[in-house]
C-alpha cells in the first residue's frame, strides 16, 4: 500500500499574528513554525499506523521553501519513509493542489489535514481529488481498510456517516483519526538518513492573489453588570452584543 | 511515599515556549532542534499535567520511567548497539534541559539511569555486563541507581568506608550508601567500594542479592517527585564477574559524574527558562496600580537580568557542548558550567517567585517547586562550593580541599 500525506507548516498556536506590506504579507519575524496539527496528528499518524499494520510505504509531500525542511524531517521522524519538497513558496490553494498533483499519481491513498490552522481554507484536498480524478471524502475521523475497500467515517450535521469507498481515494483527516505521536530520539536519528527529494515547481498558476489581510478589532474588556440589574444586561445583550 | 498512577491531573495547560534571545538556535543542528521539540512536547503531555500533584504528595511518577525510555532519554549519547541513542553531546544537553524544564526530579531519573548507570557499565563494564544490562536499562525494563555518597563521606568520597573482601570467585561487600536517587525502586546498583588494597572499585549489585536492602529516605522538601534512599550491604556476595575489571581509583566514579554534571549544566537552564517564562507571562497579566506589573522598573530589572543570565548560560553550555563533542571538555570546565548554571537557575527561581507575589508560593505556578528542587541540584553532583574549589585548584594549581 502506497500512501501520500500532504503536510504544511503553520505558525505555532502561541504566535503573535501581524501583517506587513499594507496587509498583503504575513509577518514571519519571530514566528515559530510547526507541522499543521491536522496533517501531523491525524493524517500522518494514521498513515503510519496503516503502514505498520498492512505494510507499504508513506511518502510526505510539502510545497514550500527550505524553511519547511524541519517540519518535513519531523514527519520522517514520526515514521514516514521518504519526502518530497516542491521548491516554491505556496501562495494559493489551487497552486498547492496543482503542484502536489504533479507528484501524486500511483498512490492508494492520499491524505491531507482537514484544514490548516492558519488560513483554514480546507480546499487543497478537494482540489487535489478533482485534479487526480479520484473520489474525495472530507473531514474523516475514522479510516479502516476493509478488503479492497476503505471504510471511512466522517462528521455530518448532528451525527456521523460511514462510507465505503473503493480504489484510490483522497481524504481529509479530522480530529479523532489518530492520537498524537511524539518522535523519539531513534526516529529523529533515522530521519536524517531518509530521502528528502527536492523537486522544482511546475510553475502552477495561483488563480487568486491576496489583496489584503485585516486583523479583527481588539477585544474590549469584560463588562460587569450587577446581579440584580437584569434590565441593563438584557439591553446590552440586545443592542451591543446583538445576540438576543 | 506512594507510587504509580492515580494522581490528579492539572487542568491548566502548559503554555511554555522556548526563549532564545541571542538566536543560539542558529548554532544548533536540525537534530538538536527536533530533539528539543520532541522532549518539550513529551513534557507538556506527560509531565506538566501531573507533576504538581506528585510533588505535592512526595510521590514518584514511576510510570514515567517507561515513557522516558520510549522517548529516548536514557543515555542518548551512548551507541545504539548498547541501548543508547547514538546522538551527540549537545542533543543530550537539550534533552536534559527540556526534562528539567518540566521538573528537576524527572531529569534526575534520566541523569542517573543514563549517565551514572548506563555510562559506567558501557565505559568500564565487560562485554558480558554490557550485553546483560544496557539494552534493558535503555528500554526501561531495569531501573538503576548509583551509589557513591556515604553517611560520613559526601564531598570527600575518597574516604569511603564501604569495602570488598576477596573470597574466591566473589567479593564480600559491606557498608552503606546515602542519598541514592532511585535506590528503593532500583533493580540494580552501580556501587563504588574499596578493595583490600584501598583502591576504589566499581561493581553492579543486583537487587535480590542476599544482605542488600535499599530503604527510602523520607521528609525531603526538594526533588519530591524523585525517590531517594540508602543502600545497605551486609555481607553481600558479589560475583567477580559483576566487578568492572580495569578501572581503579576515584577516576571511575568521577568520569560518570563529569557526564552527569554536564547534563545538569544544561538541565538547570531548563528550570531557569521555565521560571522566567512563567514570570514574564505573569508580569504582563497581573495588574496593580492600574497597570501590568511588568511595566514597573523594578519588575523589568528582574526580568532583564534573568534573560541576560539565561543567555550567558546558554552560550556557555553551547560552547561546552562543542568541546564535549570534540572530546575536549575538561572536568574543570564542566564544574564551572554546573556551578554557574545551577546557581543562576536558583537565583532566577527566587526572583521569579517574587514576581508572582503570593501566587508564587502555590502550586498554581511551577516556580516554588523549581526553587526547592534546585536546592538539591546545587548540592548534589558536587556542591556549589566544591565546584568553586575545583576551579580554584585548576587556575592556581594549589589544592584547597584539605
Ligand atoms: C536528593 C539527593 C539525591 C542524591 N542522589 C545521589 C545519588 O544518586 N548518588 C550519590 O552517590 N549521591 C547522591 N546524592 C548525594 C550528594 O552528591 C551529596 O549530598 C553531596 O555530594 C554533598 O555531600 P554531603 O551531603 O555529605 O555534604 P558534605 O560533604 O558534608 O558538605 C556539607 C557542606 O560542607 C561543604 N564542604 C565540604 N568539604 C568542603 C571543603 N573542603 N571546603 C569547603 N567546603 C566544604 C560543602 O560544600 C557543603 O556546603 C544526592 C543528594 C541529594 C540531596
Amino acid at each position: 500500500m502506497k500512501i501520500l500525506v500532504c503536510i504544511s507548516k503553520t505558525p505555532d498556536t502561541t504566535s503573535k499574528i501581524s501583517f506587513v506590506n499594507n496587509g498583503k504579507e504575513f509577518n514571519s519575524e519571530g514566528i515559530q513554525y510547526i507541522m499543521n496539527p491536522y496533517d501531523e496528528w491525524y493524517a500522518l499518524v494514521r498513515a503510519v499506523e496503516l503502514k505498520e499494520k498492512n505494510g507499504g510505504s508513506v511518502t510526505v509531500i510539502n510545497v514550500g521553501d527550505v524553511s519547511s525542511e524541519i517540519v518535513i524531517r519531523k514527519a520522517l521522524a514520526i515514521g514516514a519513509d521518504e519526502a518530497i519538497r516542491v521548491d516554491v513558496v505556496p501562495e494559493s490553494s489551487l497552486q498547492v493542489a496543482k503542484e502536489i498533483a504533479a507528484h501524486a499519481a500511483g498512490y492508494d491513498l492520499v491524505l491531507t489535514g482537514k484544514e490548516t490552522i492558519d488560513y483554514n481554507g480546507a480546499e487543497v484536498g478537494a482540489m487535489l481529488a478533482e485534479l487526480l480524478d479520484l473520489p474525495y471524502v472530507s473531514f474523516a475521523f475514522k479510516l479502516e481498510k476493509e478488503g479492497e475497500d476503505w471504510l471511512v467515517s466522517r462528521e455530518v450535521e448532528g451525527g456521523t456517516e460511514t462510507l465505503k469507498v473503493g480504489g484510490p481515494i483522497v481524504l481529509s483527516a479530522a480530529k479523532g483519526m489518530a492520537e498524537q505521536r511524539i518522535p523519539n530520539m531513534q526516529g529523529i536519528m533515522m530521519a536524517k538518513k531518509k530521502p528528502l527529494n527536492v523537486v522544482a515547481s511546475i510553475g502552477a498558476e495561483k488563480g487568486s492573489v491576496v489583496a489584503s489581510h485585516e486583523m479583527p478589532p481588539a477585544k474590549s474588556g469584560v463588562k460587569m453588570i450587577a446581579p440584580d440589574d437584569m434590565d441593563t444586561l438584557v439591553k446590552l445583550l440586545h443592542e451591543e452584543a446583538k445576540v438576543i | 511515599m506512594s507510587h504509580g498512577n492515580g494522581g490528579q491531573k492539572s487542568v491548566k495547560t502548559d503554555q511554555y515556549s522556548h526563549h532564545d534571545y541571542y538566536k543560539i538556535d542558529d548554532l544548533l543542528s536540525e537534530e538538536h532542534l527536533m530533539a528539543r521539540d520532541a522532549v518539550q512536547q513529551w513534557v507538556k503531555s506527560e509531565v506538566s499535567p501531573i507533576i504538581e500533584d506528585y510533588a505535592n504528595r512526595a510521590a514518584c511518577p514511576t510510570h514515567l520511567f517507561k515513557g522516558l525510555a520510549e522517548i529516548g532519554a536514557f543515555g542518548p549519547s551512548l551507541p545504539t548497539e548498547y541501548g543508547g541513542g547514538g546522538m551527540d553531546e549537545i542533543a543530550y544537553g537539550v534533552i536534559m534541559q527540556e526534562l528539567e524544564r518540566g521538573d528537576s526530579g524527572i531529569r534526575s531519573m534520566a541523569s542517573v539511569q543514563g549517565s551514572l548507570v548506563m555510562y559506567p557499565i558501557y565505559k568500564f563494564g565487560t562485554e558480558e555486563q554490557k550485553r546483560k544490562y544496557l539494552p534493558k536499562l535503555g528500554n526501561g525494563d531495569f531501573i538503576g541507581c548509583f551509589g557513591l555518597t556515604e553517611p560520613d563521606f559526601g564531598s570527600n568520597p575518597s574516604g569511603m568506608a564501604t569495602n570488598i573482601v576477596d573470597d574466591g570467585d566473589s567479593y564480600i561487600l559491606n557498608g552503606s550508601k546515602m542519598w541514592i536517587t532511585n535506590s528503593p525502586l532500583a533493580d540494580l546498583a552501580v556501587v563504588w567500594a574499596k578493595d583490600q588494597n584501598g583502591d576504589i572499585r566499581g561493581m553492579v549489585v543486583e537487587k535480590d542479592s542476599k544482605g542488600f536492602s535499599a530503604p527510602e529516605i523520607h521528609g525531603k522538601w526538594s526533588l519530591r517527585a524523585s525517590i531517594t534512599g540508602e543502600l545497605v550491604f551486609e555481607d553481600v556476595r558479589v560475583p567477580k564477574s559483576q566487578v568492572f575489571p580495569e578501572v581503579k581509583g576515584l577516576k571511575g566514579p568521577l568520569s560518570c559524574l563529569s557526564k552527569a554534571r554536564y547534563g545538569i549544566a544544561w538541565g538547570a537552564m531548563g528550570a531557569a527558562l521555565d521560571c522566567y517564562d512563567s514570570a514574564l507571562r505573569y508580569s504582563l497579566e497581573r495588574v496593580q496600580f492600574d497597570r501590568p506589573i511588568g511595566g514597573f522598573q523594578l519588575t523589568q530589572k528582574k526580568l532583564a537580568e534573568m534573560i541576560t543570565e539565561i543567555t550567558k548560560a546558554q552560550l556557555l553550555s553551547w560552547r561546552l557542548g562543542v568541546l564535549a563533542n570534540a572530546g575536549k571538555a575538561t572536568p574543570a570546565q564542566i564544574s564551572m558550567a554546573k556551578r554557574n548554571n545551577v546557581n543562576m537557575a536558583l537565583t532566577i527561581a527566587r526572583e521569579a517567585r517574587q514576581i508572582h507575589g503570593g501566587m508564587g508560593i502555590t502550586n498554581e505556578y511551577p516556580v516554588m517547586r523549581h526553587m526547592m528542587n534546585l536546592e538539591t541540584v546545587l548540592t548534589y553532583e558536587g556542591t556549589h562550593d566544591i565546584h568553586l574549589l575545583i576551579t580554584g585548584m585548576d587556575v592556581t594549581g594549589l589544592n584547597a580541599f584539605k
Side-chain angles (χ1 to χ4, degrees), chain B residues 146 148-149 154-155 179-181 376 379-381 383 385 389 401:
Chain B
F146 175 88
L148 178 67
T149 307
S155 298
W179 297 119
I180 308 306
T181 303
T376 289
T379 286
Y380 75 8
E381 299 271 353
T383 70
D385 286 346
L389 295 178
F401 286 93

Side-chain angles (χ1 to χ4, degrees), chain B residues 117 120-122 124-134 137 142 164 168-173 187-193 201-209 212 236-247:
Chain B
V117 179
I121 295 175
Y122 163 69
F124 306 122
T126 62
E127 193 57 30
E128 195 193 331
Q129 291 166 353
K130 291 185 211 182
R131 301 266 166 228
K132 185 170 169 196
Y133 295 117
L134 290 178
L137 286 162
F142 284 164
I164 48 174
D169 287 345
S170 12
Y171 288 107
I172 305 298
L173 171 66
D187 301 289
L188 55 100
V190 168
V191 178
W192 301 93
R201 306 291 301 272
M203 64 211 72
V204 182
V205 182
E206 293 188 1
K207 179 193 196 148
D208 40 19
S209 309
F212 174 28
V236 176
R237 185 167 286 280
V238 180
K240 283 188 173 162
S241 60
Q242 293 293 99
V243 177
F244 300 147
E246 302 295 340
V247 65

Side-chain angles (χ1 to χ4, degrees), chain B residues 14-285:
Chain B
D14 177 353
Q15 291 179 288
Y16 175 79
S17 65
H18 184 64
H19 298 273
D20 181 20
Y21 199 74
Y22 258 41
K23 300 216 184 310
I24 296 162
D25 280 4
D26 293 351
L27 301 171
L28 302 181
S29 70
E30 210 168 55
E31 170 191 330
H32 303 143
L33 297 175
M34 282 170 71
R36 188 177 73 201
D37 286 353
V39 179
Q40 193 179 107
Q41 199 182 341
W42 183 80
V43 165
K44 282 186 177 180
S45 79
E46 303 297 318
V47 178
S48 308
I50 61 150
I51 192 65
E52 297 296 349
D53 176 56
Y54 277 88
N56 195 21
R57 290 187 286 121
C60 178
T62 50
H63 64 283
L64 292 183
F65 276 104
K66 268 285 172 194
L68 284 164
E70 274 159 27
I71 189 88
F74 294 153
S77 58
L78 294 180
T80 46
E81 55 184 307
Y82 293 116
M87 305 180 99
D88 72 3
E89 297 297 331
I90 295 180
Y92 164 48
V94 299
I95 292 168
M96 294 300 125
Q97 171 184 298
E98 290 310 314
L99 291 179
E100 192 144 5
R101 209 280 301 170
D103 188 80
S104 304
I106 307 302
R107 198 269 303 134
S108 299
M109 288 158 88
S111 286
V112 168
Q113 184 90 347
S115 300
L116 297 180
V117 179
M118 292 172 69
Y119 178 74
I121 295 175
Y122 163 69
K123 181 98 179 157
F124 306 122
T126 62
E127 193 57 30
E128 195 193 331
Q129 291 166 353
K130 291 185 211 182
R131 301 266 166 228
K132 185 170 169 196
Y133 295 117
L134 290 178
K136 287 193 168 156
L137 286 162
N139 71 17
D141 282 353
F142 284 164
I143 296 173
C145 67
F146 175 88
L148 178 67
T149 307
E150 300 188 357
D152 294 331
F153 299 93
S155 298
N156 175 26
S158 60
M160 70 173 62
T162 301
N163 62 83
I164 48 174
V165 173
D166 199 318
D167 188 40
D169 287 345
S170 12
Y171 288 107
I172 305 298
L173 171 66
N174 274 290
S176 67
K177 298 286 176 181
M178 179 85 172
W179 297 119
I180 308 306
T181 303
N182 295 347
S183 83
L185 300 172
D187 301 289
L188 55 100
V190 168
V191 178
W192 301 93
K194 273 188 186 158
D195 65 15
Q196 283 150 292
N197 300 324
D199 287 328
I200 294 174
R201 306 291 301 272
M203 64 211 72
V204 182
V205 182
E206 293 188 1
K207 179 193 196 148
D208 40 19
S209 309
K210 195 161 166 276
F212 174 28
S213 60
E216 185 177 344
I217 296 172
H218 294 279
K220 302 197 317 280
W221 283 120
S222 175
L223 286 201
R224 286 168 66 81
S226 160
I227 189 167
T228 316
E230 299 171 45
L231 298 173
V232 182
F233 311 105
E234 286 168 353
D235 291 328
V236 176
R237 185 167 286 280
V238 180
K240 283 188 173 162
S241 60
Q242 293 293 99
V243 177
F244 300 147
E246 302 295 340
V247 65
K248 282 189 185 143
L250 257 193
K251 68 176 183 293
L254 288 187
S255 68
C256 310
L257 292 177
S258 278
K259 191 95 177 138
R261 288 165 180 171
Y262 169 88
I264 292 170
W266 282 87
M269 285 196 298
L273 281 160
D274 201 39
C275 291
Y276 169 73
D277 183 76
S278 184
L280 179 62
R281 198 162 327 103
Y282 191 81
S283 77
L284 298 174
E285 285 165 3

Side-chain angles (χ1 to χ4, degrees), chain A residues 99-114:
Chain A
E99 293 286 358
I100 292 174
H103 305 277
Y107 289 94
D108 302 295
L109 176 65
V110 179
L111 288 165
T112 71
K114 83 164 191 188

Side-chain angles (χ1 to χ4, degrees), chain A residues 12 14 29 32 40-41 69-70 73-74 77 180-186 188-189 191-192, chain B residues 15 17-18 23 30-31 33-35 38-39 41-42 45 70-73 85-87 95:
Chain A
D12 183 4
T14 58
E29 182 61 32
Q32 294 210 15
E40 177 182 335
W41 295 355
E69 288 198 357
I70 182 120
R73 284 279 175 219
K74 184 177 186 191
Q180 77 162 334
R181 247 193 215 197
I182 301 173
N184 62 17
M185 298 309 130
Q186 203 191 356
I188 289 170
M189 294 307 278
K192 286 207 298 192
Chain B
Q15 291 179 288
S17 65
H18 184 64
K23 300 216 184 310
E30 210 168 55
E31 170 191 330
L33 297 175
M34 282 170 71
V39 179
Q41 199 182 341
W42 183 80
S45 79
E70 274 159 27
I71 189 88
M87 305 180 99
I95 292 168

